Amino acid sequence: MLCRYLGVSSNAELEEIKSAYRRLSKLYHPDSTQLPLEIAAQKFMRLKDAYDTLSNQELRNLYDNRLERKVVSNTEGSMYGYPISSQQGYDSRKKRPERMDVDTLGGRNMPLSGQAMTALAFDLFVLCFCIGVIIFVAFFKNAPST
């Protein structure tokens, strides 16, 4: 949250935001701090971004709306930042998927689709071809020519 960077409350007035920014910019400005340059620059840039957003009323309204949507989606329960209700095919009332190492078919195998059978046949063909090439190279390639 941007208010956290400035150390002000989320409903702080502009003067309070300016005061906090001035105070913290003296602490974190790369030219006037004891911190290493990279850390100071990073902190100062975060501070400046927070100030730029919170001091501009239009940007602050956008930020507040985005933050409010995030809070609402988190209270509803969310998945990857989107409300669960928008997850197609997801029903939180359903039980969790069973573990894959548990035999759910009672010892029966699932039938393969036509596409899976074609892929399996192709894989077997490639495997047999590779074995044939290895045998050819091992036994016939180095045979003395007459």
Side-chain angles (χ1 to χ4, degrees):
M1 292 184 34
L2 297 179
C3 298
R4 200 176 338 155
Y5 291 125
L6 293 172
V8 296
S9 65
S10 59
N11 56 356
E13 295 294 323
L14 184 59
E15 289 305 315
E16 186 179 353
I17 293 170
K18 283 182 183 179
S19 171
Y21 174 71
R22 285 188 200 113
R23 180 177 44 84
L24 292 171
S25 64
K26 291 176 186 174
L27 278 175
Y28 295 124
H29 194 280
D31 293 339
S32 64
T33 185
Q34 301 290 330
L35 293 173
L37 183 61
E38 290 178 18
I39 294 173
Q42 185 180 24
K43 286 185 180 260
F44 186 74
M45 289 305 295
R46 282 186 190 162
L47 182 67
K48 181 157 177 28
D49 289 342
Y51 175 74
D52 290 344
T53 300
L54 294 177
S55 63
N56 181 327
Q57 191 61 42
E58 185 177 333
L59 291 176
R60 185 172 183 169
N61 289 339
L62 287 171
Y63 171 75
D64 288 343
N65 289 339
R66 193 173 305 142
L67 188 62
E68 183 178 324
R69 277 190 308 228
K70 186 175 180 180
V71 167
V72 167
S73 70
N74 284 340
T75 58
E76 290 176 356
S78 66
M79 209 171 172
Y80 307 113
Y82 299 101
I84 287 178
S85 59
S86 69
Q87 298 296 318
Q88 185 174 5
Y90 180 81
D91 185 3
S92 62
R93 294 169 294 186
K94 291 182 181 177
K95 66 179 186 174
R96 299 213 184 275
E98 296 179 16
R99 290 179 25 194
M100 295 303 287
D101 59 349
V102 176
D103 183 13
T104 59
L105 297 174
R108 299 182 321 267
N109 290 330
M110 289 181 64
L112 295 176
S113 67
Q115 185 178 7
M117 289 296 288
T118 304
L120 184 59
F122 180 76
D123 290 345
L124 287 173
F125 172 75
V126 169
L127 181 64
C128 290
F129 179 77
C130 290
I131 290 172
V133 168
I134 290 170
I135 290 171
F136 174 77
V137 168
F139 293 110
F140 302 110
K141 184 72 173 170
N142 296 328
S145 57
T146 54

